[in-house]
Amino acid sequence: MSDQIEQSVGDQSAENSVDIHHLEQQRRENRDAVIALGLLPYGERADDLLTLAGAHNLYASQADEQYKETNQAQRQAKRDNPDISEADLPELIDNRARVRVAGRVMLHRDNGKLIWLNLRDHTRDTFQIAVSKRDCDEAGFKLAKLLDGGDIVIAEGPLTKTNTGEITCWADTLIPASKCLVPPPEKHAGLQDTERRYRQRYMDMWSNPETTRVLLLRSKIMSAMRRYLERNDFVEVETPVLQTQAGGAAARPFLTHMNALSLDLSLRIAPELYLKRLLVGGIPRVFEVSRNFRNEGLDKSHNPEFTSLEVYQAFGNYETMMELTEGLIRELAELAASELDNDTSAMPFGDLKIDFASSFERVTYSQLFEKALGFSIDETEKARAECEKRGYKTKSKDGTPIDDIFIINELFEEVAEGMIDPAKPTFVLDYPASLSPLTRPKQGTENDVVPLADRWDIFIGGMEIGPAYTELNDPDIQAEKFLEQLSGVDAEESTFRTFDEDFVNALKVGMPPAGGLGLGMDRIVMLLSNQRSIRDVLPFPMMKPQA
RNA sequence: GGGAGAGUAGCUCAAUCGGUAGAGCAUCGGCCUUUUAAGCCGCAGGUUCAGAGUUCAAGUCUCUGCUCUCCUACCA
């Protein structure tokens, strides 16, 4: 048995060595040569490293000039009198900042006895290192000769300016930190192949520093969001991702199975119903940064797993949520603007300049509908006729007419949403109640043709960023709404609509009146980082596996 | 689901009417102590996504498959 294993391993490695590309083979040889110098090609712990930007900022021209002058004077003295004693030499004053930095080799210019490296890290696209035969230790200089693009090195030395004025670390030591065995992308164009950029993000990130900048901005946005909520006394909680019923939204879930309990489970499509249970339990202000999973299509603004922020505030309502949301988004925009050197009143997003500085627009669903269609949402016959005229679906697959409210909403989504100025963040208020089963019905509209609910949606840059409600906390109405959702849908649809009995029980125990909010954080990051695709704000977007 | 486009050297890209697959960068060898995409000299590098077909001849035309991109559809 063990013989067989050895045999197969042996075969495999022989096979591999044949398959290794000559560019990788060359890099392996360079790595072996580094080992032969007595250096560790994969490095070890290094403390007190400066970032490249931090090192760059330490340059002090006065100290550099003083060093250059005194060094020049010393040389001149030696030229004037080659036999001059050390004691008689003019004093050499070197107060230049010394830096110790690490980075990936982006450019490598070998001038013979002087080698120039351009390093990159997450703080600077380029930082120059000079490795001279005279001034660097011997192993470091030999290492510099053996470097390949993409290698990671640690350099240490004083900061100086070159003749052409570039701040440079004039290395006296250089040690390896990691070998790059894979040939890097073209040094200027960077990695252009979109497929490889997403599949091998680790390559894209250092080849195209913009990718890293967006991901770092995302992190800062998420962090600022938490600070804002914590400042407002919200507490962060974590609720189940594995759920027996995927509730809180209507979407097709991903299914999985738990062996220990022989249980079919769904990955959550929203955390809503669990967060409200916490309100029942007595935590008055909660939020969760929730990775949600929806088994549906992919496009520029949809990834099967995405990040939402959900917030619930006891004794609030949907207006409370509007104030909270406007404050939050503006604060995040201010952060992004300062990072990217933009103006919050004109944040670039594609061709748009979005104004996050002014008060957000507010318009009701019915106002917007009437403005766009020329008649009221109560005129359902006109709506049906309009829908037919435009060729929208008015009947379901089995031929039965679609409910009035879906006709209205079809027109709203197709026509009225387009009326919203994408450059102005806009709250659309008071949605039809039957579209919002978890929302408290709007007082006084119960008997209207289209009863409304205390719900708004916010639109920015042509995208729906998220809804908020005055939460429905009457258990009887909630139970009714669940049943309403389950009736009149076909078998396929009903598989992803649920009646959560325990949630109704929680409401029976008593949930305080509350405002609730859900925001698509990926989309907010898109808006604030000027990325038109959700894939560009996710480190690892969903990709079909390669054949 | 539907439509359009793309896939060529390690990378970025060319290749006219179907007629010897090229360049730049990177690599390799040589020279070079202030370069900025360093420079100069020289070498090498290809299953043109995969498979089938048409043809004297296919990167190019046809078909099938794979992957990606864009548009569209679906999506509380």
Side-chain angles (χ1 to χ4, degrees), chain A residues 198-199 254 294-306 523 533-535 538 540-545:
Chain A
Y198 293 138
R199 289 192 195 279
F254 286 93
R294 297 187 182 178
N295 203 343
E296 288 166 1
L298 294 78
D299 64 28
K300 274 202 300 190
S301 56
H302 294 86
N303 195 67
E305 53 181 297
F306 65 98
R523 292 180 182 178
S533 170
I534 194 169
R535 319 190 112 204
L538 295 169
F540 304 103
M542 177 58 66
M543 295 291 280
K544 212 170 184 176

Side-chain angles (χ1 to χ4, degrees), chain A residues 430-431 433 441-454:
Chain A
D430 302 340
Y431 274 65
K442 194 165 198 66
Q443 296 289 313
T445 67
E446 301 89 338
N447 299 317
D448 292 0
V449 176
V450 179
L452 302 177
D454 283 337

Side-chain angles (χ1 to χ4, degrees), chain A residues 22 104 241 263 302 378 511:
Chain A
H22 73 274
R104 209 179 270 274
V241 172
L263 200 57
H302 294 86
D378 296 332
M511 184 176 91

Side-chain angles (χ1 to χ4, degrees), chain A residues 56-81:
Chain A
H56 191 264
N57 290 338
L58 278 182
Y59 176 77
S61 59
Q62 210 179 351
D64 191 27
E65 277 155 27
Q66 188 179 44
Y67 171 78
K68 284 173 180 165
E69 279 164 23
T70 55
N71 189 41
Q72 189 61 34
Q74 225 181 42
R75 288 186 190 187
Q76 188 61 45
K78 280 181 185 164
R79 272 197 294 276
D80 292 347
N81 177 9

